[in-house]
Amino acid sequence: MINKIGIFDSGLGGLTVLNEVCKYNPGLNLVYFGDTARVPYGPRSIQTITRYAKQDVAFLLAQGVQAILVACGTVSATALPALRETFDVPILGVIETACAQAALATRTGHIAVLGTQATVASGAYNRALAEINQNLRVTGLACPLFVPLIENGFLSDDPITRLTCERYLAPLRDTDVDTVILGCTHYPFLAKAITETLPNVAFVNAGTALALALPKLLGEVEKQAQTQIEFYLSDEDSGFLPIANQFLDTVTVAGTRKAILDT
Ligand code: DGL
């Protein structure tokens, strides 16, 4: 039986998945890893993202986890097959469950996916949505400034963030898009700014979709009276703790440990 689950992202983004996982699956034993030394992943090549992701998974396995949640849209979109070929443990990404939820939500059949450059270029969300329903129309929009804004603490109430949302999301105004997938796990940090910029659409949080499906996808997992989480970062990051604790609903991050990756 699985008794420890690893969860990783390039930085803060995976916390939006962790938050939902803890909300809907209390009592898990988790190890979170944020690759803050190498964030962002989104502008990098598939080869580089895959190399980083393999090192991230290897680090988590060395901490004794028996399953991996890829809490990163970019890695899920570009490196999942390579990870599954390399490591013999269950490895779940965020794309299929988010697409299933979006396909159920849409009435017009036109879904937008907001993501990093690598995610949008990969077409992974388009393929997953087409597998569910070939008639869905999909518009992918890369929003490369969102991750650096979030990692630097420029969240929804900052005027720079508001302006960036206006600029990136303008192409979705006056269209029949009625459902938007936050295809990068960082983006729920900007939920308020994004939803206020596009007030008339439904949003899919990839973390919620995965968290709700987790029991079905992972099978039996050992639970304890209280959720336990160890946090590791690959670089000192003074911004991580305050932003994490401001965002997380059910979890407090008391401290982080330095992760030494086998590169
Ligand atoms: N949070 C990640 C994602 O879901 C990574 C973003 C980045 O590092 O560029 O895509």
Side-chain angles (χ1 to χ4, degrees):
M1 199 197 322
I2 294 169
N3 58 38
K4 207 175 194 185
I5 300 172
I7 171 164
F8 77 94
D9 177 54
S10 59
L12 285 160
L15 295 178
T16 71
V17 179
L18 182 79
N19 201 36
E20 303 299 302
V21 165
C22 294
K23 205 182 293 174
Y24 293 108
N25 307 273
L28 295 177
N29 189 6
L30 298 155
V31 182
Y32 184 90
F33 171 59
D35 193 6
T36 49
R38 304 187 290 196
V39 65
Y41 282 9
R44 303 186 196 280
S45 67
I46 292 182
Q47 289 75 9
T48 300
I49 296 164
T50 304
R51 181 160 56 84
Y52 288 177
K54 283 183 182 174
Q55 292 161 352
D56 301 343
V57 172
F59 171 77
L60 286 168
L61 292 176
Q63 311 315 308
V65 308
Q66 297 108 15
I68 300 282
L69 307 185
V70 180
C72 174
T74 305
V75 173
S76 301
T78 57
L80 213 50
L83 293 179
R84 287 180 175 150
E85 257 170 45
T86 310
F87 302 101
D88 191 21
V89 294
I91 301 181
L92 305 180
V94 287
I95 294 179
E96 273 76 18
T97 42
C99 289
Q101 197 173 313
L104 277 179
T106 184
R107 293 288 164 264
T108 62
H110 193 175
I111 294 170
V113 180
L114 309 183
T116 65
Q117 302 95 310
T119 297
V120 171
S122 76
Y125 278 94
N126 307 54
R127 284 192 296 279
L129 286 164
E131 252 178 51
I132 298 168
N133 178 350
Q134 286 217 330
N135 297 320
L136 292 171
R137 286 166 297 137
V138 184
T139 297
L141 271 187
C143 308
L145 289 177
F146 280 174
V147 170
L149 282 172
I150 293 160
E151 291 286 333
N152 287 286
F154 291 82
L155 303 181
S156 287
D157 291 327
D158 194 285
I160 297 176
T161 303
R162 290 284 168 164
L163 212 57
T164 311
C165 282
E166 285 293 333
R167 176 71 73 91
Y168 279 146
L169 305 180
L172 300 181
R173 285 245 173 81
D174 305 319
T175 68
D176 65 346
V177 165
D178 70 345
T179 305
V180 174
I181 300 176
L182 300 180
C184 167
T185 57
H186 274 75
Y187 296 176
F189 275 98
L190 303 185
K192 185 168 170 240
I194 294 173
T195 54
E196 286 176 6
T197 308
L198 290 176
N200 299 319
V201 302
F203 287 91
V204 174
N205 177 332
T208 315
L210 179 63
L212 289 169
L214 208 58
K216 195 168 137 219
L217 295 174
L218 277 189
E220 232 189 313
V221 177
E222 199 175 294
K223 297 266 184 81
Q224 309 149 107
Q226 279 207 320
T227 303
Q228 272 185 33
I229 315 171
E230 295 161 46
F231 288 90
Y232 288 91
L233 302 177
S234 53
D235 204 359
E236 315 263 317
D237 190 331
S238 54
F240 188 91
L241 274 186
I243 299 173
N245 282 321
Q246 192 185 327
F247 178 82
L248 291 167
D249 297 316
T250 59
V251 179
T252 307
V253 191
T256 60
R257 288 189 233 174
K258 178 88 191 284
I260 310 293
L261 295 190
D262 199 1
T263 51

